[in-house]
């Protein structure tokens, strides 16, 4: 259905969007949409890499993995390459409960 749009209909849709949001908000919206797409893409790559690493380390036990996680604190970044917005991940410490 979207592929059947004629050029006049596309221009009409663009004009309505322009009237609804205004010329000042459209660049900000496009910028935030691009940033969201980059974050989504980087998170998908990270999940694939983590999944591949888990598949390769299938022989490792849970006891072997615990010291590795404690060595480097995990952080969540606001955007790829943004170190000012990173914060540590709050994970419960299961080894202290014993």
């Amino acid at each position: 259905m979207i592929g059947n749009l004629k050029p006049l209909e596309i221009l009409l849709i663009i004009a309505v969007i322009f009237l609804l949001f205004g010329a000042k908000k459209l660049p900000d919206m496009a910028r935030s949409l691009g940033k969201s797409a980059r974050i989504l893409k980087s998170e998908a790559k990270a999940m694939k890499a983590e999944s591949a690493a888990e598949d390769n380390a299938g022989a490792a036990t849970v006891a072997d993995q615990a010291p590795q996680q404690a060595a480097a604190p995990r952080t969540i970044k606001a955007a790829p390459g943004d170190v000012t917005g990173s914060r540590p991940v709050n994970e419960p410490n299961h080894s202290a409960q014993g």
Side-chain angles (χ1 to χ4, degrees):
M1 178 167 177
I2 294 176
N4 296 334
L5 292 177
K6 297 177 180 116
L8 183 60
E9 294 170 340
I10 294 172
L11 287 176
L12 182 63
I13 291 170
I14 292 173
V16 169
I17 291 172
F18 222 6
L19 289 173
L20 287 175
F21 296 108
K24 292 182 179 180
K25 293 221 177 198
L26 285 177
D28 292 335
M29 290 172 54
R31 212 172 288 121
S32 65
L33 182 64
K35 184 183 271 189
S36 299
R38 281 192 304 272
I39 291 171
L40 180 66
K41 187 177 179 181
S42 69
E43 290 297 323
K45 283 183 181 180
M47 288 175 60
K48 282 184 181 180
E50 186 175 301
S51 175
E54 286 177 3
D55 290 344
N56 291 338
T61 63
V62 176
D64 292 340
Q65 291 175 358
Q68 293 172 356
Q69 290 178 354
R74 294 175 45 193
T75 60
I76 297 174
K77 294 185 179 177
D82 181 20
V83 293
T84 60
S86 63
R87 56 183 167 77
V89 177
N90 294 329
E91 294 180 353
N93 190 358
H94 295 291
S95 61
Q97 294 176 356

